[in-house]
Amino acid sequence: MKEAKITIIELGLLVFMVLVGVLIGVYTLDKIDKEMDMKKTELIKEESMRYKLVSEKLNEPKDSFYIDTKEDKYIVFSEKGKYIVDYNENYSKIEHFVKVGPKKNE
């Protein structure tokens, strides 16, 4: 019977292939992580813009109201009432701002 012997060249090639595989995996995970960070940053920026625009519209500080999303609509709950807000595509401008509910104490 022949015994399987691994030569130095084969062992070096095997180590090289494993190292390349690990490096490819690390690179891929790093790229995915960066893309997720960019998406999170974009979402935070959009949310900040929504709060800024509503704050200017209601003339209230950002922490005095809450914006909720339902069925692709933004609903603002504040002391002044309940509103439905539509923004443009990049959240730089309010398209529609409609009061749909009374003040909290009414």
Side-chain angles (χ1 to χ4, degrees), residues 69-82:
T69 55
K70 259 190 187 168
E71 300 171 7
D72 296 333
K73 295 196 183 278
Y74 294 97
I75 302 169
V76 176
F77 299 95
S78 79
E79 292 292 325
K80 293 182 179 179
K82 180 178 170 184

Side-chain angles (χ1 to χ4, degrees), residues 14-90:
L14 181 63
V15 169
F16 177 74
M17 288 172 39
V18 168
L19 185 61
V20 167
V22 168
L23 289 175
I24 288 172
V26 168
Y27 174 78
T28 303
L29 289 176
D30 184 54
K31 191 165 182 94
I32 290 171
D33 188 45
K34 284 181 183 176
E35 287 177 14
M36 289 177 65
D37 284 347
M38 287 173 46
K39 279 209 177 265
K40 285 179 187 176
T41 302
E42 187 66 28
L43 289 174
I44 290 169
K45 180 182 171 188
E46 288 173 359
E47 182 177 2
S48 175
M49 285 298 296
R50 288 193 296 266
Y51 272 86
K52 179 180 178 246
L53 291 170
V54 170
S55 176
E56 291 170 357
K57 185 76 171 179
L58 292 175
N59 198 21
E60 291 185 15
K62 293 178 185 178
D63 59 351
S64 68
F65 57 88
Y66 173 71
I67 301 176
D68 192 15
T69 55
K70 259 190 187 168
E71 300 171 7
D72 296 333
K73 295 196 183 278
Y74 294 97
I75 302 169
V76 176
F77 299 95
S78 79
E79 292 292 325
K80 293 182 179 179
K82 180 178 170 184
Y83 303 85
I84 294 180
V85 182
D86 289 326
Y87 301 92
N88 64 352
E89 290 179 10
N90 59 357

Side-chain angles (χ1 to χ4, degrees), residues 85-103:
V85 182
D86 289 326
Y87 301 92
N88 64 352
E89 290 179 10
N90 59 357
Y91 299 101
S92 63
K93 182 176 135 185
I94 292 177
E95 297 280 325
H96 301 285
F97 194 83
V98 181
K99 186 172 184 176
V100 293
K103 293 179 183 178

